[in-house]
Amino acid sequence: MSVEAGLRAQPRQRERPYASLIARLAAGAAALERAALTPWFWGLIALAWALVTWILGLHAVDVARMNDLGLISVLPLPVYASLTVLIVCYGLALRPRRPNERLLLGLTALAIVMLYGMTAMVEDVPRFATAWKHVGFIELITRTGRVAPHLEARFNWPGFFILSGFVTEIAGLQNALPFLAWAPVFFGLLYLGPLLMIFRAFSDDRRVVWLSVWLFYLNNWIAQDYFSPQAFGFFLYLTVVAILLRWFKTVHVPPATGPQAGRLRGLLRSLLAPREAPSAPSGEAQRTGLHLIVVLLLAVMAASHQLTPFVTLSALVLLVVFRRCPLRSLPLLSAVLTASWIIFMAMAYLSGNLAGMLREVGRVGEVLDANLTGHMAGSPLHIVVVNLRVVMTGLIWVLALAGAVRRLRHGHWELTGALLAVAPIPLLALQAYGGEMLLRVQFFALPFVALFAAMLFYPAPEAGRGVRTTVALCLASALLFAGLIVCRFGNERAEHMTASDLEAVEYLYDHAPRYSAFVSISPNLPWQYHDWEAYSYCRVAGGRMPKSVDEVVAYVAAEAECGPTYLILTRSQRDEMLQMGYPSESWAALEQAIATSPALSRVFANDTATIWVLAGTQEVAES
Amino acid sequence: MKPRYRLWPALITISAFATGLVVLVDLQIPLRSLLALWFLLLCPGMALVGLLRTGDRLADVTLAVAASLALDALVAGVMLYCGAWSPQRGLAILIGLSAAGAALQLVVPRDAPFSIRRVP
């Protein structure tokens, strides 16, 4: 290269890096410009904004200011704004005939986190006294390596607790408390897989599939997805149903022909004939493997929860009787597994409760009374919450009925979905389940009710493509969102726990000698999470407000026969009593009377809790 | 065998090895909980479900999670009721099960005994 040529080349060499950088920046800007024209870009921006607004909004929540409407009474405007963005994004994402499923998956996951993770974000201690009790079951298993069926009815179905204990140990955790706060989000995400499989078995229209998912999560105010055997059992139930609908559908029914086939019989056969899409293709080995997985899930389910195996049995019987499933031996197998567990492994529970259980069988009126009118009590605001729960339940069933009718008018007769929606209802004839059977029935029916409600908006592939459907969908979603927050978190004032409540309970465990008795007015406090068998737990007056301090002292003194007896009063107990309708003055008067009683001496107090010991019993224990 | 068919067997084997190393040697590392949850939630089930070759990723993951949790509960429950509660031993059984399933997925040809055909 000549000197002249070298001099000419020099500036070009210096310019090249800048030119390259500028070219890259220009290309990036052009790509950004192109991306800015896509719904994806603006959707992501909106969702990121919604998430940030949601987090910042929840950061400002003061749970101590809640009233008996629950969490909704303290949620600030930014939280509603973020949820509105989510609703609009979902409505718009469902507009195309073939919606973007990745986008819908992201939106659904975000909705689960934003709805079900709300309490974990605003509360400093995991909520719900029953969940703390479950941690105590698990601690007993990991500490002793055995179950104690005589301690509690739930211990007779310990599958979930054994599993949690095993996971806790392998994960190197001290106890299962870290699982509590985010358990509803975890289970919500877990349900998504089987729900999608179920809904895809009913419709090829992806709008129906994703709207069903959306409506399921927006109506799940029953809140049985906390850290519990029911949440686990529900997942197993959904998976069993998903496998049957995906791979084990009866696709062919012989037509009614011949002289004996009358008109009525022909009509009946026509109604019962399966018309859904055929099962997914599968080989013999696959079907055997899937069958084995179903048996495995049924076996674990039988050992994990009292109620779920019966719902599953009911669903299996209906599917087989109405020829929706060719596995005719499956209901029998499910019944044998369930009965075997009860007879051989749950005898401790059965021997003490069989007579009471049999007494409730067939008394549907009494069960409905216990499930409905039994809950229609409490403070005026709590009554609003309870009534709204009834309205929400009625609303989704009305939408589902309208959806079924609209679907029928488009020529689709969805008998399988209807069978699965009504499958849990026979359980109402079995027992009241502590006044919760109606809730559980609604929980198990909800996926299929949501499916029919979605079909109201999209009854056929060509339907529901106008702006009116999107607007109606967004309005319905907004209504359901608001309803869900009130219904699901309506008891939050009582069900949330505070660090001060926990501090008082920890004091008890640190200072009370083993085999002490712990007495409370209500069992609504974060206790029983370790050394379950080392203490006895009792409540005065069966959970109602004691009439006088003498009643409390007499109860505490009666427990003192076993050892030192402690009385603990916390904010969580007080708020539960107020939610039940007792005036705040009566609680204050009771506290005042206890404080001045010579029979009890105060050993601990913080801003929300106080502990007394029955005079004389502590010294006896120390000596 | 296509590389994508080796993905899950490889992931299961690596996860089983890592979880076994961390838990059985009792290494107190920050990611122990996440690693254990990942393994127990997905790997034993995926080792078996992978053999079914459903061709549906959503179904595979869903069944794998359900089967994993059921297998974990079954192994732990049998140990407990036999009076031999030992989480480490239970984990060793699950690691063995996962490794065997992953190896079978590699060994068994994809179109041999599990060929997909429509059932009439």
Side-chain angles (χ1 to χ4, degrees):
Chain A
M1 188 188 286
S2 68
V3 174
E4 194 181 342
L7 286 172
R8 274 204 308 272
Q10 260 184 351
R12 221 178 290 152
Q13 275 176 351
R14 276 204 304 273
E15 278 170 20
R16 194 168 288 157
Y18 295 114
S20 164
L21 185 67
I22 289 167
R24 281 182 192 174
L25 282 174
L32 198 66
E33 200 177 343
R34 279 197 304 277
L37 295 174
T38 63
W40 260 98
F41 179 81
W42 292 108
L44 286 176
I45 294 280
L47 291 176
W49 177 83
L51 189 62
V52 171
T53 312
W54 178 77
I55 293 169
L56 293 177
L58 288 181
H59 193 67
V61 168
D62 179 8
V63 286
R65 288 175 42 242
M66 253 188 287
N67 62 24
D68 283 342
L69 278 179
L71 200 56
I72 200 163
S73 61
V74 289
L75 282 185
L77 272 179
V79 174
Y80 297 109
S82 63
L83 293 177
T84 307
V85 169
L86 193 62
I87 289 168
V88 173
C89 284
Y90 211 94
L92 292 175
L94 280 175
R95 266 186 68 72
R97 168 72 187 85
R98 288 185 181 169
N100 186 323
E101 292 200 83
R102 286 184 186 174
L103 179 64
L104 286 165
L105 177 67
L107 286 169
T108 308
L110 196 63
I112 293 170
V113 173
M114 286 170 69
L115 282 173
Y116 299 168
M118 233 183 298
T119 49
M121 290 289 288
V122 299
E123 293 166 8
D124 46 4
V125 169
R127 65 191 291 278
F128 208 30
T130 312
W132 286 79
K133 201 186 245 192
H134 291 169
V135 174
F137 288 152
I138 293 160
E139 192 269 343
L140 190 142
I141 288 171
T142 55
R143 180 165 42 82
T144 65
R146 61 186 176 83
V147 287
H150 56 279
L151 280 181
E152 241 259 4
R154 271 168 283 197
F155 248 162
N156 290 271
W157 287 268
F160 170 74
F161 303 120
I162 295 171
L163 169 67
S164 303
F166 182 65
V167 174
T168 305
E169 291 272 302
I170 298 298
L173 301 171
Q174 279 190 329
N175 54 37
L177 277 175
F179 298 136
L180 254 57
W182 289 94
V185 173
F186 171 77
F187 281 114
L189 294 171
L190 213 56
Y191 299 158
L192 193 51
L195 282 175
L196 283 171
M197 283 175 69
I198 289 171
F199 297 144
R200 282 178 182 179
F202 283 102
S203 177
D204 288 333
D205 189 341
R206 292 297 186 244
R207 297 172 307 165
V208 172
V209 170
W210 285 97
L211 184 56
S212 306
V213 167
W214 182 245
L215 291 177
F216 170 81
Y217 287 110
L218 257 58
N219 275 280
N220 185 11
W221 60 264
I222 299 112
Q224 283 300 322
D225 45 16
Y226 68 100
F227 187 69
S228 65
Q230 175 64 94
F232 178 56
F234 187 66
F235 171 63
L236 298 180
Y237 169 74
L238 287 179
T239 311
V240 168
V241 173
I243 293 173
L244 296 183
L245 293 181
R246 176 96 167 82
W247 285 286
F248 295 97
K249 272 196 287 192
T250 309
V251 290
H252 178 66
V253 172
T257 52
Q260 73 277 19
R263 282 186 65 186
L264 187 65
R265 199 169 166 189
L267 179 69
L268 201 64
R269 273 186 180 264
S270 158
L271 284 175
L272 297 183
R275 294 177 189 174
E276 292 92 359
S279 299
S282 56
E284 272 311 312
Q286 278 179 315
R287 291 166 70 85
T288 307
L290 290 162
H291 203 154
L292 285 175
I293 290 178
V294 169
V295 174
L296 174 71
L297 300 184
L298 290 176
V300 173
M301 189 192 289
S304 300
H305 193 231
Q306 306 97 303
L307 194 63
T308 309
F310 288 97
V311 182
T312 311
L313 181 60
S314 172
L316 293 177
V317 167
L318 285 175
L319 289 178
V320 168
V321 166
F322 285 86
R323 292 189 292 186
R324 261 47 200 174
C325 173
L327 302 177
R328 292 184 181 179
S329 59
L330 206 55
L332 183 67
L333 183 71
S334 169
V336 168
L337 284 169
T338 306
S340 303
W341 184 269
I342 292 173
I343 292 167
F344 295 112
M345 309 303 282
M347 194 46 82
Y349 174 75
L350 205 63
S351 57
N353 296 281
L354 188 60
M357 285 163 64
L358 291 176
R359 247 198 318 275
E360 286 185 1
V361 173
R363 299 187 173 183
V364 181
E366 284 177 27
V367 170
L368 284 176
D369 192 43
N371 279 263
L372 273 172
T373 47
H375 291 278
M376 297 285 184
S379 67
L381 286 178
H382 184 62
I383 296 285
V384 171
V385 174
V386 175
N387 284 332
L388 199 61
R389 285 173 182 158
V390 177
V391 171
M392 278 278 279
T393 308
L395 181 69
I396 191 70
W397 276 91
V398 168
L399 287 178
L401 203 63
V405 171
R406 201 169 176 212
R407 182 84 168 155
L408 196 59
R409 287 176 65 181
H410 279 79
H412 299 281
W413 170 236
E414 305 284 359
L415 185 60
T416 308
L419 291 173
L420 290 167
V422 300
I425 293 177
L427 268 72
L428 286 171
L430 283 182
Q431 59 165 300
Y433 206 65
E436 282 197 9
M437 188 58 93
L438 209 53
L439 291 179
R440 306 301 171 105
V441 167
Q442 172 66 5
F443 188 42
F444 281 102
L446 188 55
F448 310 99
V449 177
L451 173 72
F452 282 112
M455 286 171 177
L456 176 65
F457 293 92
Y458 303 118
E462 68 280 2
R465 300 182 68 179
V467 180
R468 274 196 309 181
T469 305
T470 306
V471 172
L473 191 60
C474 288
L475 288 176
S477 298
L479 204 66
L480 292 173
F481 254 88
L484 180 80
I485 294 172
V486 177
C487 296
R488 188 179 168 99
F489 304 115
N491 295 355
E492 205 55 30
R493 184 184 176 190
E495 286 177 353
H496 88 278
M497 303 292 155
T498 62
S500 301
D501 296 339
L502 183 58
E503 186 193 13
V505 173
E506 280 173 347
Y507 173 88
L508 270 184
Y509 287 127
D510 288 343
H511 292 83
R514 288 173 81 80
Y515 309 111
S516 300
F518 298 156
V519 180
S520 65
I521 303 295
S522 103
N524 187 42
L525 66 163
W527 67 1
Q528 293 179 285
Y529 58 92
H530 68 79
D531 294 305
W532 179 289
E533 76 288 12
Y535 305 96
S536 64
Y537 300 88
C538 354
R539 54 181 173 165
V540 181
R544 64 168 172 77
M545 184 76 89
K547 286 171 186 156
S548 68
V549 68
D550 296 336
E551 190 181 350
V552 177
V553 172
Y555 193 90
V556 174
E559 291 298 320
E561 287 174 10
C562 310
T565 307
Y566 294 82
L567 172 70
I568 177 168
L569 297 185
T570 60
R571 174 218 55 83
S572 52
Q573 295 177 63
R574 183 202 64 196
D575 285 350
E576 192 187 34
M577 286 292 153
L578 303 192
Q579 186 183 284
M580 285 164 68
Y582 292 104
S584 58
E585 296 79 24
S586 63
W587 179 270
L590 183 70
E591 269 192 321
Q592 182 65 31
I594 289 172
T596 54
S597 169
L600 298 164
S601 50
R602 198 172 72 174
V603 291
F604 175 88
N606 64 19
D607 54 334
T608 65
T610 317
I611 299 172
W612 289 270
V613 65
L614 187 68
T617 56
Q618 197 178 24
E619 290 77 11
V620 170
E622 281 164 4
S623 67
Chain B
M1 184 177 281
K2 291 179 184 174
R4 67 190 170 98
Y5 297 138
R6 294 192 198 120
L7 177 68
W8 273 112
L11 262 178
I12 292 166
T13 311
I14 293 167
S15 305
F17 178 76
T19 312
L21 184 73
V22 169
V23 176
L24 300 178
V25 181
D26 199 19
L27 295 177
Q28 294 300 327
I29 59 165
L31 288 178
R32 174 178 167 155
S33 301
L34 282 180
L35 187 63
L37 287 175
W38 159 262
F39 176 76
L40 294 175
L41 200 62
L42 204 64
C43 293
M46 190 54 97
L48 301 182
V49 171
L51 290 168
L52 298 177
R53 272 104 200 227
T54 66
D56 179 345
R57 266 185 291 184
L58 170 73
D60 279 353
V61 173
T62 303
L63 298 192
V65 172
S68 292
L69 292 175
L71 283 170
D72 298 346
L74 190 73
V75 168
V78 167
M79 283 192 312
L80 188 120
Y81 278 103
C82 290
W85 173 256
S86 165
Q88 282 76 13
R89 204 177 303 154
L91 180 68
I93 294 169
L94 289 169
I95 286 174
L97 198 70
S98 305
L104 268 178
Q105 284 185 42
L106 289 174
V107 171
V108 177
R110 290 198 67 77
D111 52 352
F114 299 103
S115 59
I116 292 174
R117 61 188 167 84
R118 189 178 289 272
V119 171

